[in-house]
């Protein structure tokens, strides 16, 4: 009761204190918001200020002073920007001095360690720029840089001109020294002790070298891929080296186990039973007996001679105890692209290497290994350049008899040529073929479908391995260019036919045959008269 009475008595005093506080705050606010004096704020002349004219002159003079101050401020900012630009320019110059043009590295002898470090950095950047780790999208089939292959004794080259041979010993000393240096470096790399322990391992020599391929990108360097025998059958060692216009750098050292890598050879066919019999002799010897990791898919068009072809296939199966084959029959007009596409898509097993082949092709067991070694799913496809045989009746016309087929298959300028305009024989994993979209099935008959597929791969990020191979031959046969072909196909067919017959020199001898015989006849008459 006493507390309530005290609170009631204190309440009027509290209200009074609050009123005084609010009034004080209002006075403070009014003082703070009152316009400042003339020294801090421009104001129009007041009634009790100087005359109107003098007031306006004062205002104009003050504003002019403000403009002068603004201009001075802008000049200061421009000067600061110029100074910053000069600083950035000097910083850029220091950076260029720190990472000089690679051509100037050799001229700077003042700091050898720095020059060596800069050179090494530049060479490593050349590896990154070159087509080593991934493919490069190309505009046309002519933009691809082909590989060339080599062994210890021979070089297999595409650009032969009129004096060089498709297979020859490297005549130029620089070429011999280059290839021997690469082989020796690869052998040394293989013989380096493994990181884990001091376990004994096979000591490699040059005699373990199987084959290599190399190519040069003119503005980057030379890429070498060398294959050596492995520690067991069907195992290989592969060394990838790169010469970025300087010391060779090891790019990769990997074990390649091909013991379980199956190749599905797909052959489209219509009629041509006698050619198929010859093909199966080669397939049995090289594919079944020597290699043994192979499947054959024959896609046959029509029914004419089909029973004979099936009989040849079944006889080979029985005599060689070979069951890994598939026979597909299509009741339609022959189309090479359609046959290969159907054969590739028919496969239902695990991812497999596809070798697109024709019935007039001869291959060796060594080529089948090259087919495996130069393909990698999602990474590489193989487009070998095969050696095309000339017409044996022209090549051996001056002989008593034509040699056997095996004796004819030698790589010389007089016996054939690298078929570098052909893209029909190719190896790739089935997954890459499916992902790229397969063949263009609108192309009918002969030619065109292989180039179309080749261009697809060139336009992708896959690495296209293009190199002449010594174990793949196109056997000569008379070529028929049908009237049903399109003008472009007919032109391609006739060009191929002209290239197939004989070498430049041999065709010349045929053209001037009458002239040569006339000369010989005159020589005989002259010798009789003397």
């Amino acid at each position: 009761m006493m507390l309530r009475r005290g609170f009631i008595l204190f309440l009027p005093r509290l209200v009074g204190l609050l009123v005084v506080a609010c009034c004080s705050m209002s006075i403070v606010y009014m003082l703070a918001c009152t316009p400042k004096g003339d020294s801090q704020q421009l104001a129009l002349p007041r009634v009790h200020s100087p005359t109107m004219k003098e007031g306006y002159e004062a205002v104009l003079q003050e504003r002019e002073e403000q403009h002068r101050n603004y201009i001075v401020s802008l000049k200061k900012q421009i000067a600061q920007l110029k100074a910053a630009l000069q600083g950035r320019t000097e910083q850029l110059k220091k950076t260029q001095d720190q990472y000089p043009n690679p051509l100037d590295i050799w001229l700077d002898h003042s700091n050898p360690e720095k020059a060596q470090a800069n050179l090494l950095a530049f060479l490593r950047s050349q590896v990154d720029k070159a087509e080593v780790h991934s493919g490069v999208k190309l505009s046309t089939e002519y933009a691809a840089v082909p590989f060339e292959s080599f062994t210890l004794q021979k070089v297999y080259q595409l650009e032969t001109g009129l004096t060089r041979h498709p297979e020859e010993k490297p005549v130029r000393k620089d070429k011999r020294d280059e290839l021997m240096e690469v082989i020796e470096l690869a052998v040394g790399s293989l013989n380096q002790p493994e990181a884990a322990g001091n376990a004994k391992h096979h000591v490699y020599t040059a005699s373990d070298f199987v084959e290599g391929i190399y190519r040069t990108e003119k503005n980057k360097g030379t890429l070498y891929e060398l294959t050596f025998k492995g520690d067991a059958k069907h195992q290989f060692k592969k060394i990838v080296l790169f010469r970025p216009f300087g010391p060779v750098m090891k790019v990769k050292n990997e074990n390649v186990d091909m013991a379980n890598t199956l190749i599905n050879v797909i052959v489209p066919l219509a009629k041509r039973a006698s050619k198929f019999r010859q093909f199966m002799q080669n397939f049995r010897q090289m594919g079944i007996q020597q290699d043994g990791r192979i499947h054959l898919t024959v896609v046959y068009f029509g029914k004419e001679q089909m029973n004979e072809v099936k009989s040849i296939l079944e006889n080979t199966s029985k005599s060689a105890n070979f069951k890994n084959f598939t026979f597909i029959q299509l009741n339609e007009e022959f189309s090479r692209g359609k046959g290969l596409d159907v054969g590739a898509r028919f496969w239902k097993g695990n991812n497999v290497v596809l070798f697109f082949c024709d019935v007039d092709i001869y291959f060796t067991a060594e080529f089948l290994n090259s087919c495996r070694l130069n393909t990698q799913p999602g990474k590489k496809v193989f487009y070998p350049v095969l050696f095309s045989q000339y017409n044996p009746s022209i090549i051996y016309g001056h002989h008593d008899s034509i040699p056997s087929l095996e004796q004819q298959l030698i790589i010389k300028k007089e016996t054939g040529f690298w078929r570098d305009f052909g893209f029909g024989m190719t190896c790739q994993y089935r997954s890459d073929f499916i992902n790229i979209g397969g063949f263009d099935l609108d192309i009918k008959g002969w030619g065109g479908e292989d180039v179309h597929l080749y261009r697809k791969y060139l336009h992708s990020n896959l690495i296209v391995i293009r190199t002449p191979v010594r174990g793949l031959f196109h056997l000569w046969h008379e070529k028929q260019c049908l009237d049903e072909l399109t003008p472009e196909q007919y032109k391609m067919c006739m060009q191929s036919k002209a290239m197939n017959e004989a070498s430049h020199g041999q065709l010349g001898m045929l053209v001037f045959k009458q002239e040569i015989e006339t000369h010989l006849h005159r020589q005989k008459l002259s010798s009789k008269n003397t």
Side-chain angles (χ1 to χ4, degrees), residues 368-405:
L368 295 177
N369 270 332
S370 296
C371 185
R372 295 182 177 96
L373 289 166
N374 289 294
T375 53
Q376 187 176 344
K379 184 84 172 182
K380 292 191 294 188
V381 295
F382 187 37
Y383 269 84
V385 180
L386 52 80
F387 193 76
S388 192
Q389 182 191 33
Y390 287 139
N391 188 342
S393 62
I394 296 178
I395 300 171
Y396 306 103
H398 58 287
H399 291 198
D400 295 333
S401 61
I402 296 177
S404 65
L405 178 61

Side-chain angles (χ1 to χ4, degrees), residues 187 190-192 200-208 229 231:
V187 170
L190 289 171
N191 288 328
Q192 287 180 355
K200 292 183 178 180
H201 65 284
H202 174 68
V203 177
Y204 289 87
T205 65
S207 61
D208 295 314
K229 298 174 184 175
D231 297 329

Side-chain angles (χ1 to χ4, degrees), residues 31-51:
L31 290 174
C33 295
T34 300
K36 296 181 182 179
D38 293 339
S39 62
Q40 297 183 15
Q41 179 178 343
L42 288 175
L44 292 175
R46 299 179 184 177
V47 177
H48 301 291
S49 63
T51 60

Side-chain angles (χ1 to χ4, degrees), residues 77-135:
Q77 292 181 32
I78 291 172
Q80 290 173 355
L81 289 173
K82 286 182 178 179
L85 180 61
Q86 181 67 23
R88 291 298 180 94
T89 303
E90 292 176 358
Q91 185 179 0
L92 179 61
K93 188 175 183 302
K94 288 180 181 179
T95 304
Q96 290 174 343
D97 293 338
Q98 185 178 358
Y99 301 101
N101 190 308
L103 295 176
D104 299 332
I105 292 174
W106 301 98
L107 304 176
D108 184 15
H109 300 287
S110 60
N111 191 343
E113 293 182 359
K114 179 182 176 183
Q116 185 175 2
N118 288 338
L119 175 62
L120 185 60
F122 169 73
L123 295 179
R124 292 193 181 280
S125 70
Q126 290 290 78
V127 177
D128 295 333
K129 294 175 185 176
E131 194 175 354
V132 176
H133 299 296
S134 62

Side-chain angles (χ1 to χ4, degrees), residues 287-299:
I288 302 174
Q289 296 175 353
Q290 294 192 27
D291 186 83
R293 297 156 291 159
I294 201 163
H295 186 98
L296 176 63
T297 299
V298 178
V299 182

Side-chain angles (χ1 to χ4, degrees), residues 217-481:
E217 295 183 65
K218 301 298 183 182
N219 62 335
K220 300 179 185 73
T222 302
L223 173 66
Y224 308 86
E225 295 191 10
L226 294 86
T227 303
F228 291 81
K229 298 174 184 175
D231 297 329
K233 187 179 180 182
H234 304 315
Q235 290 187 351
F236 300 88
K237 282 279 191 177
K238 196 163 187 178
I239 298 289
V240 180
L241 304 169
F242 187 74
R243 186 192 297 274
F245 298 112
V248 179
M249 304 172 68
K250 183 177 75 174
V251 177
K252 188 186 296 183
N253 184 344
E254 63 178 351
N255 291 317
V256 183
D257 187 357
M258 295 294 174
N260 299 315
T261 304
L262 185 71
I263 295 180
N264 184 4
V265 182
I266 303 178
V267 180
L269 186 63
K271 306 176 186 178
R272 306 186 71 185
S274 60
K275 281 290 182 181
F276 184 71
R277 180 177 285 106
Q278 179 179 270
F279 172 83
M280 287 305 298
Q281 291 173 356
N282 170 226
F283 183 87
R284 174 175 178 170
Q285 180 185 359
M286 299 297 175
I288 302 174
Q289 296 175 353
Q290 294 192 27
D291 186 83
R293 297 156 291 159
I294 201 163
H295 186 98
L296 176 63
T297 299
V298 178
V299 182
Y300 197 85
F301 290 81
K303 294 184 177 179
E304 188 176 351
Q305 300 184 17
M306 183 185 70
N307 291 333
E308 187 177 353
V309 167
K310 290 180 70 174
S311 176
I312 295 169
L313 190 58
E314 291 168 358
N315 288 339
T316 303
S317 173
K318 291 177 183 178
S319 60
N321 192 25
F322 177 72
K323 305 298 182 184
N324 292 339
F325 70 92
T326 303
F327 186 88
I328 304 170
Q329 195 264 334
L330 300 177
N331 289 318
E332 54 187 270
E333 183 184 356
F334 177 79
S335 169
R336 184 178 185 273
K338 176 69 176 292
L340 294 173
D341 199 272
V342 169
R345 296 179 188 277
F346 190 83
W347 178 263
K348 302 303 179 185
N350 295 330
N351 201 11
V352 66
V353 177
L354 304 176
F355 171 35
F356 294 151
C357 189
D358 288 339
V359 74
D360 49 13
I361 295 298
Y362 183 97
F363 59 85
T364 65
E366 288 76 14
F367 165 74
L368 295 177
N369 270 332
S370 296
C371 185
R372 295 182 177 96
L373 289 166
N374 289 294
T375 53
Q376 187 176 344
K379 184 84 172 182
K380 292 191 294 188
V381 295
F382 187 37
Y383 269 84
V385 180
L386 52 80
F387 193 76
S388 192
Q389 182 191 33
Y390 287 139
N391 188 342
S393 62
I394 296 178
I395 300 171
Y396 306 103
H398 58 287
H399 291 198
D400 295 333
S401 61
I402 296 177
S404 65
L405 178 61
E406 286 71 18
Q407 292 175 320
Q408 294 177 34
L409 299 179
I410 53 177
I411 300 176
K412 291 188 177 297
K413 198 171 185 179
E414 296 78 21
T415 60
F417 62 98
W418 291 117
R419 201 179 185 88
D420 57 346
F421 57 84
F423 308 98
M425 307 315 121
T426 173
C427 300
Q428 66 265 291
Y429 271 85
R430 182 179 181 273
S431 58
D432 292 327
F433 176 77
I434 298 298
N435 290 336
I436 209 71
F439 283 104
D440 183 355
L441 300 183
D442 293 332
I443 299 175
K444 306 296 182 183
W446 185 95
E449 80 291 332
D450 50 355
V451 179
H452 189 268
L453 179 65
Y454 182 61
R455 287 172 178 166
K456 281 186 177 181
Y457 283 124
L458 290 178
H459 296 162
S460 74
N461 288 323
L462 294 171
I463 298 176
V464 177
I465 303 294
R466 180 76 167 157
T467 179
V469 291
R470 65 185 188 277
L472 190 64
F473 296 87
H474 176 265
L475 303 180
W476 182 88
H477 59 87
E478 187 174 358
K479 187 174 288 293
Q480 301 290 337
C481 297

